Amino acid sequence: MNPETERFYLRAFYGLLVFHFLIWFSLGMALDLHPDEADHWVWSQYPSWGYYEHPPMIAWVIRFYTFFLGNNQWAMEIGSQSITLLSFLGIFLLARKTFETRTAFLSVLCLEATPMFTVGSMIFIIDTVLILFFLWAALGFWNGYKQENNKAYYFAGLALGLALLSKVTAILFPFSGLLFLLFSRERRKVLRDPHLYAALLLGLIVFSPFIYWNMTHEWISIQGQLEKGLTGGKNWNQVLGFWFGQPLILGPVLFFFFLKGLWAGLKKFKEEDRFAYLVLLTVVPVLFFGLAAFRGKYSDPTWTDIGWPFGAILAGKYFSDRLSKESARKAIWIGGLIFATSWLPISLIATHTLHPFLPVENKNDRSLEMRGWRQLGPAVGQSYERYFPGQRRVFVVTDDYQLGGAVSFYTPQHPVPYSFGKSKRNIWVALDELKRKGAILVCTPENCEQDQAKARSLFSRVEFVSEIPIVRQGQVAKKFRLFYCSN
């Protein structure tokens, strides 16, 4: 590739990053936080080496951003988008190392056309940081292997440790790397390199505090993962939801080209290391989670988000090879079709979230998950001013931990949440303090009766305070009820 073309795609890549940030940061600020984000923000207020179900990295990263920018939505949106852009940079560099700059740009462009990496970038959750460190571990390992660079292996080991501290499914990276080396007689020679094992040991050392934390907390994180992912499967709903969800999170047309790129990579699997490496990094997570769906009581199609970025490089290579062969008109038509089938539904849902027009009942409207918290928080805050004046550490009790997280984030007093639904999560609450100081119970009308019964197991007094309507476009979209709880 000549220098002028190289510069063109480099400028296009940086322009794409700016475009992504402006679009998705603006939309994120127009909406409220997703309750999962608010829950992780709660974690960040109580630093630990581990939490129920997951390692601590997301809490540490959120704490980093909020320490400098404050406990506000602006800090959360900046954090989510900056981590996403660093992930895009990792993919760009890996694609550039394995192929060339045009493929690298097209790889990131493919991700920019997927709902998973566009809408998903607005939600600052565990997988946001997992993807970042997973990608950089993959880049480090490739540089170490291809350049015989021991420093790059140690970089990969460090990134692996940070990925494991993000989510234990990062263990799929060393497994994919091992398969990559085993599938070739020539590559198997690398297994004799002691630096490879030293780098792996470095990653395990970085990860070890989480293991120690679990040892001292009855292995609640590991058990939580196993219970959710490998037990309880009783029917085909999870399996079908997982596999049919893949074209939805990538976009149906683009999913077809991802498969085309993957097929092209499989045909060169034995001939070229780079294709073998990218194919395995794509396929291993998809197959692992796809098979786990047969056993798990809960399966999310977005769990494959650690694999599809490498599939995007294969798709980018597929498009790059055909860019010079196809006419400009056909290329524009295909590109427009890809973005239309991905961005059109995204645009419709975003518009509906801000200005509802789709014929969906409120109880089934998932867009309401990111609306109404900015109304609820100040209203709950008034109850704390009334019932707990001057009390610095106040509490909110809910059945749903996500609701508790959202109330905690948007209420001025930032009450400490306690959830009935998963009591093991409440590592930041001492029951004797909660009973002694009292709390505000927040519930939805349809669940309030059972939530009051649970609250009475902790408090002798559960008194109705108020009902708060959440209004969207002049209409009540949902309601919450508040109760004063004390002993």
Side-chain angles (χ1 to χ4, degrees), residues 88 152 210 308 330:
F88 282 174
F210 174 68
W308 287 124
K330 186 174 182 180

Side-chain angles (χ1 to χ4, degrees), residues 100-117:
E100 30 70 38
T101 306
R102 180 167 67 183
T103 294
F105 168 72
L106 293 174
S107 302
V108 178
L109 188 62
C110 284
L111 294 180
E112 190 60 39
T114 65
M116 181 164 57
F117 288 93

Side-chain angles (χ1 to χ4, degrees), residues 30 40 43 47-48 52 80 106 123 144 154 188 208 219 236 238 293 329 335 351 365 385 397 420 434 445 461 467:
H40 298 332
W43 296 11
S48 172
Y52 177 71
S80 185
L106 293 174
I123 306 176
Y154 290 112
R188 283 197 288 271
S208 61
W219 300 98
W236 286 83
Q238 295 293 336
R329 179 180 296 179
T351 303
D365 192 346
E385 292 175 359
V397 292
F420 300 119
L434 175 66
R461 179 185 181 188
E467 183 173 89

Side-chain angles (χ1 to χ4, degrees), residues 105-274:
F105 168 72
L106 293 174
S107 302
V108 178
L109 188 62
C110 284
L111 294 180
E112 190 60 39
T114 65
M116 181 164 57
F117 288 93
T118 49
V119 174
S121 72
M122 292 192 300
I123 306 176
F124 202 2
I125 53 174
I126 292 167
D127 284 38
T128 308
V129 290
L130 166 67
I131 293 169
L132 172 68
F133 295 120
F134 198 96
L135 292 176
W136 285 86
L139 175 62
F141 180 83
W142 178 257
N143 287 337
Y145 165 74
K146 206 64 181 175
Q147 301 170 8
E148 298 182 358
N149 185 338
N150 293 328
K151 290 182 180 180
Y153 280 141
Y154 290 112
F155 176 86
L158 175 62
L160 171 62
L162 297 176
L164 288 168
L165 282 176
S166 303
K167 197 173 185 179
V168 293
T169 51
I171 197 65
L172 294 178
F173 170 70
F175 180 69
S176 302
L178 177 61
L179 290 178
F180 168 70
L181 297 177
L182 289 175
F183 278 151
S184 165
R185 180 180 298 178
E186 188 65 27
R187 294 196 295 266
R188 283 197 288 271
K189 296 177 182 177
V190 177
L191 292 171
R192 304 170 190 166
D193 188 346
H195 292 283
L196 193 65
Y197 300 99
L200 180 60
L201 178 61
L202 173 62
L204 295 177
I205 291 172
V206 172
F207 181 55
S208 61
F210 174 68
I211 298 297
Y212 176 77
W213 183 88
N214 268 272
M215 289 174 60
T216 58
H217 288 78
E218 301 178 351
W219 300 98
I220 61 172
S221 298
I222 305 301
Q223 288 181 15
Q225 286 291 305
L226 293 176
E227 289 173 5
K228 181 168 65 175
L230 296 176
T231 61
K234 297 180 180 179
N235 53 52
W236 286 83
N237 290 345
Q238 295 293 336
V239 180
L240 295 176
F242 176 86
W243 289 108
F244 282 101
Q246 298 308 306
L248 295 180
I249 62 177
L250 295 176
V253 175
L254 187 57
F255 179 70
F256 169 78
F257 287 106
F258 266 67
L259 295 181
K260 293 278 283 185
L262 185 59
W263 178 247
L266 283 168
K267 290 193 291 186
K268 297 182 179 180
F269 187 88
K270 293 182 178 180
E271 302 170 12
E272 297 188 46
D273 293 343
R274 54 188 180 174

